[in-house]
Amino acid sequence: MPRHTKVLIFCDYFIPGFKGGGPVTTLRNLLVRLGDRIDFYVVTRDRDLGDERSYGDVKTGVWLPITGGQVLYLRESQASVARFRDLIAEIAPQTVYLNSTLSRRFSLFPLLAARFSSPRPHIILAPRGEFSDGALALKPLRKRLYLTALRAGGLWRGVEWQASSSFEAADIRAVAGRTEEVTIAQDLPGALPELAPRRPKRSGRAEIVFLGRISPMKNLDGAIGVLQGLIGEVDFRVYGPIEDGPYWERCLKLADLLPRSVRFRHMGQIAPDAVPAILGGADVLLLPSHGENFGHVVAEALGAGCPVILSDRTPWRDLQALGVGWDLPLDQPESFTAALQHIVDMGNNEHATYRDASRAHAGLITDDIALLESNLALFQRQ
């Protein structure tokens, strides 16, 4: 494959930001692992999710080198259809890669710019879980009207869709149309972290971690609810930015109802480089999410030797058979409580078996050549 293959990426948030969650990690891993075979150019905002100020240590409006490619940080006023059309003419990419359907500045604007460009590049659109039932249930009327307008206006005509799993492929076809071209290319995980020493697991107590944006989609209130019936000493630590204030207040009220044996703590936002140590020291990751198109925090947990308890609305399935955790239906909260109680009750020997299996499973995924090639093929065909 020629080294000069060019892919122009548009995304709302990118490194050094991290509050945008999984999509930031997805793109970072893509550049790190494929940047030696593809020329990646990333166009993004000059600030992180929810921030009023731009990054203090990056220049805006100029291309900057990063691992695996180049990045252009833009102020809001600089992100326009005309500017994006000029960028497409300047870079002359084979592919324009969009990482949202709902972003006006960094999806709709570059989509219009690509369509008005000559020659017109191939367009790949990755919804990043925006079409899951759980995601569409949040502000449903506004989302449905917007997505219907995009489809009816023909803006998706000729677009290739990327899904990270067969489940997301079905979600995409349900919204975009049954005949749409959908390519499955699972998100690439990062490298396995170094394992730090951890304290032995003691029967009758557990450190449970929730790591994610505090919003209805991640279902922190559901996580708090399934802690109610636990017997033993539990330290429940919540990591992540507060994205929805009223929702957070509701979670705090539920946390006030927890028994004294369950200690609830919000640890705030954490930088990506702190995640492996936090997960490696926990006994389990609890994430009863309403939907994940991939779930990088799950891959990070397994890579750190931390078993997981998830909803069955992610691509991570058959976890109990693999000996790395549980994937459970949200309409059966008692099953979450039972799995958590199993974690609380187990001693160090049994937990070490889960830790070793988790780490080994993460290693198989990280080293999967077919996974790497499917991502490469997404851009190679153009």
Side-chain angles (χ1 to χ4, degrees):
M1 176 178 158
R3 177 68 179 87
H4 59 267
T5 297
K6 298 178 181 179
V7 176
L8 182 56
I9 299 172
F10 291 90
C11 56
D12 277 294
Y13 307 103
F14 191 59
I15 56 173
F18 57 88
K19 299 176 189 175
V24 177
T25 304
T26 295
L27 294 176
R28 181 194 66 200
N29 292 348
L30 187 70
L31 267 66
V32 168
R33 301 193 65 183
L34 294 183
D36 61 336
R37 303 171 75 175
I38 296 175
D39 284 340
F40 287 111
Y41 299 81
V42 181
V43 183
T44 187
R45 298 180 188 272
D46 68 341
R47 64 201 64 197
D48 206 353
L49 174 65
D51 288 355
E52 296 182 359
R53 295 183 179 181
S54 61
Y55 302 119
D57 55 351
V58 300
K59 294 181 180 180
T60 61
V62 296
W63 288 106
L64 302 172
I66 55 170
T67 302
Q70 299 184 58
V71 60
L72 178 68
Y73 298 98
L74 296 179
R75 297 188 299 272
E76 187 87 358
S77 60
Q78 296 175 315
S80 66
V81 175
R83 179 63 184 274
F84 291 162
R85 187 178 180 187
D86 289 344
L87 288 174
I88 292 172
E90 172 192 340
I91 302 300
Q94 283 81 7
T95 297
V96 167
Y97 187 35
L98 308 178
N99 288 268
S100 171
T101 55
L102 299 175
S103 170
R104 183 170 64 96
R105 290 279 179 183
F106 287 87
S107 181
L108 177 59
F109 284 10
L111 179 60
L112 292 170
R115 290 205 171 279
F116 292 136
S117 297
S118 181
R120 191 162 79 180
H122 183 68
I123 301 170
I124 298 176
L125 207 166
R128 304 295 181 209
E130 291 173 341
F131 291 171
S132 70
D133 289 341
L136 292 175
L138 304 175
K139 301 179 181 178
L141 180 59
R142 184 164 65 180
K143 288 181 180 178
R144 292 287 185 184
L145 289 174
Y146 182 71
L147 295 173
T148 298
L150 291 177
R151 180 179 175 181
L155 291 178
W156 292 340
R157 190 174 300 120
V159 165
E160 179 181 3
W161 297 84
Q162 181 199 357
S164 61
S165 68
S166 59
F167 306 106
E168 188 178 23
D171 292 338
I172 291 171
R173 291 192 174 97
V175 174
R178 297 291 176 185
T179 61
E180 290 297 307
E181 180 183 1
V182 181
T183 300
I184 298 175
Q186 181 182 305
D187 295 357
L188 292 172
L192 293 185
E194 294 290 331
L195 290 182
R198 56 160 288 149
R199 51 140 190 86
K201 170 70 175 68
R202 286 172 51 191
S203 178
R205 62 182 302 175
E207 292 188 10
I208 301 170
V209 163
F210 176 100
L211 199 159
R213 292 175 291 110
I214 297 174
S215 70
M217 188 69 181
K218 299 299 182 181
N219 198 22
L220 175 58
D221 56 338
I224 296 170
V226 300
L227 299 174
Q228 288 282 354
L230 292 181
I231 299 172
E233 296 180 40
V234 173
D235 188 6
F236 182 53
R237 300 181 186 181
V238 175
Y239 296 86
I242 300 172
E243 188 174 287
D244 186 321
Y247 176 76
W248 173 237
E249 292 299 323
R250 187 162 78 248
C251 290
L252 288 178
K253 290 179 180 178
L254 290 172
D256 286 340
L257 302 176
L258 289 170
R260 289 185 178 182
S261 59
V262 178
R263 184 183 184 190
F264 174 93
R265 288 189 285 172
H266 180 225
M267 311 303 292
Q269 300 174 154
I270 54 169
D273 57 4
V275 170
I278 289 169
L279 292 172
D283 295 321
V284 70
L285 170 73
L286 174 61
L287 189 67
S289 170
H290 287 291
E292 301 287 334
N293 76 306
F294 178 64
H296 280 285
V297 68
V298 180
E300 290 171 320
L302 296 176
C306 177
V308 298
I309 298 177
L310 314 175
S311 73
D312 61 358
R313 300 185 186 183
T314 83
W316 301 90
R317 300 296 179 90
D318 301 319
L319 300 180
Q320 196 164 2
L322 293 167
V324 302
W326 293 260
D327 48 292
L328 305 168
L330 287 177
D331 60 358
Q332 297 178 23
E334 68 279 1
S335 64
F336 284 87
T337 304
L340 287 166
Q341 189 64 57
H342 188 89
I343 292 288
V344 173
D345 293 342
M346 70 173 57
N348 189 60
N349 288 342
E350 183 181 1
H351 194 263
T353 301
Y354 274 87
R355 295 198 302 267
D356 292 344
S358 298
R359 175 81 169 182
H361 184 58
L364 289 175
I365 297 171
T366 300
D367 296 337
D368 189 348
I369 298 301
L371 177 58
L372 197 69
E373 293 298 324
S374 68
N375 275 265
L376 188 61
L378 189 66
F379 308 108
Q380 236 178 351
R381 293 193 300 273
Q382 312 315 322

